[in-house]
Amino acid sequence: LEYAIDKQAIVDTRGYGWYEVVNQFAPPTSPSYAQNIVTRGYDPEKARQLLADAGYPNGFQTRLICDSGSTDRDAMTAIQGYLSEVGIDADVNFADFATYLGFRRDGWSNAILVGAVGFDANLNNSFARYWSQDAAWYPSMIKSDEFEVLYDASRTAADYEPEMVMAMNRYIAENALIMPMYAITRGAILQEWVYDAGFYTKQTWPGWEPANLWLGDKD
């Protein structure tokens, strides 16, 4: 599926200069962003060949279950079209957050779950939600013993070790445990007289400091 999709074309068309193609779970700004990692570029012929090798020469039918609050509808239309070109008939479903939360909690079948991912400064916390065998979320994702060994070593280290986290990124990429598409730059729009809101100073992206916020002269 990843070979079937022209990520760069989607980024160029929909990103307005704010999107960046990614090939792994870590964002490009992370100290744990792994270099020289497996990259599956746009190659529809290879996608068709891999489908045939897997026993699906005529493709198959599936669903793309999208979080309606974080998923670009035009990008999903493009992805649906790219998949169709290699024989994959993907029905796109935009779910409200409560329904989408149910899939995250209870799992899904014959479908791909699509949505934005927020990253923790300590990526071990992010991995814990998705691939740890103790995770309460995303039960339909592969949670292998091999990954658990890498995860246990990283989370129990005395300090945050970027190389250990890179090893997990490489494992995820090599085994195609997710299909990363693009990273989005976030921002906060404030009036010029609003000070010390503290956006993006905490570990997770929604964090801010309302107790420290103050308003200056509007002039």
Side-chain angles (χ1 to χ4, degrees):
L1 273 62
E2 195 166 6
Y3 283 118
I5 298 170
D6 190 344
K7 300 179 189 179
Q8 190 63 56
I10 294 173
V11 164
D12 292 342
T13 304
R14 297 297 304 156
Y16 302 99
W18 296 101
Y19 292 8
E20 182 177 354
V21 173
V22 290
N23 60 359
Q24 60 189 276
F25 183 73
T29 54
S30 170
S32 301
Y33 191 78
Q35 302 298 325
N36 302 319
I37 203 169
V38 59
T39 299
R40 300 178 183 89
Y42 181 51
D43 190 342
E45 287 302 320
K46 186 164 187 175
R48 294 186 188 95
Q49 185 59 55
L50 289 171
L51 282 167
D53 292 345
Y56 297 95
N58 300 315
F60 59 87
Q61 292 182 321
T62 189
R63 291 182 299 157
L64 301 175
I65 302 172
C66 309
D67 172 19
S68 60
S70 68
T71 308
D72 185 321
R73 291 175 179 265
D74 289 333
M76 291 311 304
T77 298
I79 290 171
Q80 183 184 39
Y82 283 125
L83 294 178
S84 177
E85 289 177 6
V86 299
I88 299 171
D89 180 12
D91 182 29
V92 179
N93 304 132
F94 287 95
D96 60 72
F97 184 71
T99 302
Y100 189 80
L101 191 65
F103 286 112
R104 286 172 52 184
R105 181 190 61 237
D106 302 325
W108 60 95
S109 61
N110 190 29
I112 301 169
L113 202 64
V114 182
V117 175
F119 295 99
D120 297 89
N122 183 336
L123 280 180
N124 288 309
N125 295 337
S126 301
F127 290 130
R129 290 193 294 273
Y130 295 92
W131 290 287
S132 167
Q133 293 178 346
D134 295 328
W137 296 96
Y138 304 98
S140 297
M141 295 181 72
I142 294 174
K143 305 175 191 296
S144 71
D145 292 339
E146 294 86 355
F147 181 86
E148 196 73 6
V149 170
L150 297 172
Y151 169 68
D152 283 341
S154 182
R155 73 181 180 88
T156 57
D159 298 302
Y160 186 81
E161 299 289 349
E163 287 293 338
M164 289 185 172
V165 179
M166 288 180 196
M168 287 186 281
N169 282 327
R170 289 193 179 92
Y171 181 90
I172 292 167
E174 290 169 0
N175 291 278
L177 300 187
I178 59 168
M179 188 166 55
M181 297 299 299
Y182 47 78
I184 299 173
T185 300
R186 291 184 180 272
I189 300 175
L190 304 173
Q191 296 285 1
E192 60 184 9
W193 37 268
V194 177
Y195 298 89
D196 296 340
F199 286 107
Y200 305 100
T201 59
K202 300 299 182 184
Q203 179 173 320
T204 55
W205 64 264
W208 64 304
E209 299 175 337
N212 295 330
L213 184 147
W214 58 282
L215 306 180
D217 190 341
K218 294 184 179 182
D219 296 329

